[in-house]
Amino acid sequence: MKRSLRRALWAGAVVAVTVAAVPVTTAFGAGTVTTTFTKAQDWGTGHETRVTVTNGSSAAISTWRIEFDLPSGTTISSAWDADITSSGNHYVAVKKSWAGGIAPGASFSWGYNGTGAYKAPLNCTINGAACGGGTTPPTTTPPTTTPPTTTPPTTPPPTTPPPTTPPPDTGGKKVVGYFAEWGVYGRNYHVKNIQTSGSAAKLTHILYAFGNTTGGRCSIGDSYADYEKAYTAADSVDGVADTWDQPLRGSFNQLRKLKLLNPHLKVIWSFGGWTWSGGFTQAAQNPAAFAESCYNLVEDPRWADVFDGIDVDWEYPNACGLTCDSSGPNAFKNVISALRSRFGSSALVTAAITADGSNGGKIDATDYAGAIGNLNWLMPMTYDYFGAFAAQGPTAPHSPLTSYTGIPQQGFNSDAAIQKLKSKGVPANKLLLGIGFYGRGWTGVTQATPGGSATGAAPGTYEAGIEDYKVLKNTCPATGTIAGTAYAKCGSNWWSYDTPSTINGKMTYAKNQGLGGAFFWELSGDTTNGELIGAIKGGLG
């Protein structure tokens, strides 16, 4: 059933809104301090704001305190790199204990996620002085502190984990997205694009795909992309270029930088996938040895702070994918148990699994429910049900939410998979609904509605029969929906894919079913302003 698509987004603009340039009091040095509120992202139901404090005075600032009001309909739901307190719509932000003073001419940035659309703060003061525009400063005197004898870095050191505040508006639901390591090549898609597109603020977890399993051991998938590639300042998450002698480069170092900018974000290293699942058969013969190899790799001192756990994408235990496995129904459960034992209770251990809900299908081949106690969540891959791997058709949506009259295979839909897993004892809140950020298509099609015949795969940018949503929304706009997803016929080509509207419907389903959230393959298929991930986030809110 499943033909795993493992593929890679560009960047959006940042709109800056300068709130004020304010005079500082004598206690904080002569000159001015500029406080700038920057609207980094706005997805309607929420937004991300970046705040920069720049010391334009002639003396170092040992502490700072910003007070401001937010207009009605806007609240702060999470913040990073500053301590926030509030009373009604009035907010106070003060320097973190680990953040040092700000030298003359230097800046410090912090940020917050807010509910509602972005609105510029009002009545801003910094260190007791008016932020400008004639606003009267408060009568309270800002606290004074003894300047430190040394100036610590303005960001926490890598050994100090940042606070783990989830992004807003998802009701505690998970928003999990894949980053494909090979995207740094032909697609020119890098970790920086997760930040500049606004996706980082909307994600709760990133799955880094993939590590290899050859020989029944966890191993590096692509050392150059993973930790050797040198990044220029222009392509780096924080605008700082790699040096030839630094101990860690590549996507791993970029992910480290991304996490510092987004303290709520967790990163999980995913192993296997369609191409590299063959090694799981040998792993199942000695789960403890497999788990030991995975732990040693994920927790390698060079990047141990980057990853928060491990994901298993075994396609498919006791069934056939690229190769066939006959390890038995307990193999998956045993491998997961060994991983949990080795990684411990605090690490994330997750798995992407089949979404074949047919009678006697791939879900029935493995004891997934028996493994759930050792997993944080399961991700049934509720996409790729149908496609031009059946070259003659019939045309059908590759990610139907429900069954429909004329569906080519009973049980090949999201709801069938979810209901089967729940009936076997998998808790709903440990299931995430899968979304594809791409379409599957045929050519040689004459019938506009699903069920038509075809002559082969429709042309695609990187692979025949597959195309990104960001392309299809313009080249072949959706003309109809069926079973909760969209389809379109353009000339002789017929495509099915999810749109923001159909994703919203799927998120309503996920909430109604009590699911733990949603995941998607993968980041590069979305538009530069993150339409699809915005729909996931907004729909789960």
Side-chain angles (χ1 to χ4, degrees):
M1 178 273 293
K2 169 84 166 46
R3 303 298 193 274
S4 281
L5 175 64
R6 303 304 190 196
R7 309 168 302 108
L9 231 154
W10 213 168
V14 173
V15 179
V17 179
T18 300
V19 171
V22 300
V24 295
T25 60
T26 304
F28 299 99
T32 59
V33 172
T34 301
T35 303
T36 304
F37 284 72
T38 302
K39 181 179 70 174
Q41 281 292 316
D42 188 338
W43 51 94
T45 58
H47 62 276
E48 176 193 357
T49 301
R50 193 171 300 113
V51 187
T52 301
V53 181
T54 301
N55 182 10
S57 73
S58 59
I61 296 175
S62 61
T63 189
W64 50 263
R65 173 189 178 96
I66 301 171
E67 296 196 34
F68 57 94
D69 298 324
L70 287 180
S72 176
T74 303
T75 61
I76 292 178
S77 54
S78 63
W80 51 93
D81 296 345
D83 289 322
I84 307 292
T85 57
S86 66
S87 176
N89 69 334
H90 185 73
Y91 291 84
V92 177
V94 298
K95 180 178 74 71
K96 282 280 191 183
S97 59
W98 50 257
I102 306 177
S107 299
F108 179 85
S109 292
W110 58 278
Y112 62 84
N113 284 321
T115 59
Y118 175 82
K119 296 178 183 178
L122 306 171
N123 308 319
C124 178
T125 66
I126 181 165
N127 292 343
C131 286
T135 302
T136 303
T139 56
T140 56
T141 302
T144 58
T145 60
T146 302
T149 55
T150 60
T151 301
T154 58
T155 56
T159 55
T160 303
T164 54
T165 53
D169 303 325
T170 58
K173 304 292 187 183
K174 298 167 185 67
V175 179
V176 183
Y178 278 95
F179 175 86
E181 66 185 351
W182 55 90
V184 303
Y185 299 118
R187 285 179 169 267
N188 194 32
Y189 179 78
H190 307 279
V191 175
K192 177 182 179 179
N193 302 131
I194 306 175
Q195 178 71 17
T196 56
S197 67
S199 297
K202 301 168 189 174
L203 288 161
T204 60
H205 301 77
I206 291 173
L207 290 164
Y208 186 83
F210 286 103
N212 206 336
T213 65
T214 300
R217 299 291 187 272
C218 281
S219 58
I220 287 290
D222 181 341
S223 62
Y224 179 76
D226 292 347
Y227 59 85
E228 294 170 353
K229 175 179 168 60
Y231 274 85
T232 64
D235 290 335
S236 181
V237 168
D238 61 356
V240 178
D242 290 342
T243 61
W244 67 270
D245 59 345
Q246 71 186 54
L248 184 67
R249 300 188 296 191
S251 293
F252 287 1
N253 186 49
Q254 294 296 305
L255 286 166
R256 173 184 285 161
K257 293 181 176 187
L258 187 71
K259 290 178 72 175
L260 286 173
L261 289 176
N262 300 274
H264 70 275
L265 195 55
K266 301 288 189 181
V267 179
I268 307 170
W269 196 346
S270 184
F271 288 81
W274 181 254
T275 304
W276 286 338
S277 281
F280 283 120
T281 298
Q282 189 170 342
Q285 298 170 11
N286 192 340
F290 173 71
E292 183 68 24
S293 74
C294 298
Y295 182 85
N296 291 337
L297 183 59
V298 175
E299 296 298 324
D300 186 296
R302 290 172 291 177
W303 51 69
D305 61 308
V306 173
F307 296 105
D308 299 286
I310 185 171
D311 175 72
V312 172
D313 189 342
W314 182 353
E315 303 180 17
Y316 298 97
N318 205 36
C320 295
L322 184 62
T323 59
C324 290
D325 173 77
S326 56
S327 298
N330 294 324
F332 177 81
K333 175 174 63 176
N334 294 340
V335 167
I336 295 300
S337 176
L339 288 170
R340 174 57 74 194
S341 295
R342 187 62 187 92
F343 277 80
S345 60
S346 61
L348 293 169
V349 181
T350 67
I353 67 168
T354 178
D356 176 1
S358 63
N359 292 329
K362 289 184 173 68
I363 289 178
D364 290 330
T366 297
D367 185 10
Y368 290 111
I372 197 62
N374 286 315
L375 288 164
N376 291 87
W377 64 77
L378 275 175
M379 296 173 285
M381 295 177 281
T382 49
Y383 39 77
D384 291 345
Y385 284 109
F386 309 107
F389 39 81
Q392 312 305 311
T395 58
H398 80 85
S399 56
L401 177 62
T402 59
S403 186
Y404 63 93
T405 302
I407 192 169
Q409 171 68 49
Q410 291 300 318
F412 276 28
N413 64 81
S414 305
D415 181 60
I418 295 297
Q419 299 310 325
K420 175 162 287 224
L421 288 163
K422 287 169 67 175
S423 73
K424 290 178 178 292
V426 178
N429 64 1
K430 282 196 172 187
L431 290 172
L432 308 189
L433 187 67
I435 303 292
F437 279 14
Y438 60 93
R440 284 190 174 272
W442 288 262
T443 193
V445 180
T446 59
Q447 179 175 314
T449 54
S453 60
T455 59
T461 302
Y462 300 99
E463 181 180 348
I466 296 170
E467 189 56 273
D468 292 343
Y469 166 76
K470 66 176 182 279
V471 174
L472 290 172
K473 68 165 292 192
N474 296 315
T475 62
C476 195
T479 55
T481 59
I482 189 169
T485 191
Y487 65 86
K489 182 177 180 294
C490 304
S492 64
N493 297 328
W494 192 96
W495 292 93
S496 73
Y497 55 92
D498 273 311
T499 65
S501 176
T502 63
I503 287 175
N504 188 267
K506 288 186 174 184
M507 294 307 100
T508 298
Y509 169 88
K511 290 192 295 184
N512 289 342
Q513 290 290 321
L515 305 187
F519 75 101
F520 60 88
W521 181 273
E522 41 81 11
L523 282 157
S524 71
D526 207 351
T527 59
T528 56
N529 61 344
E531 287 182 16
L532 298 187
I533 191 173
I536 291 175
K537 186 183 185 71
L540 289 174

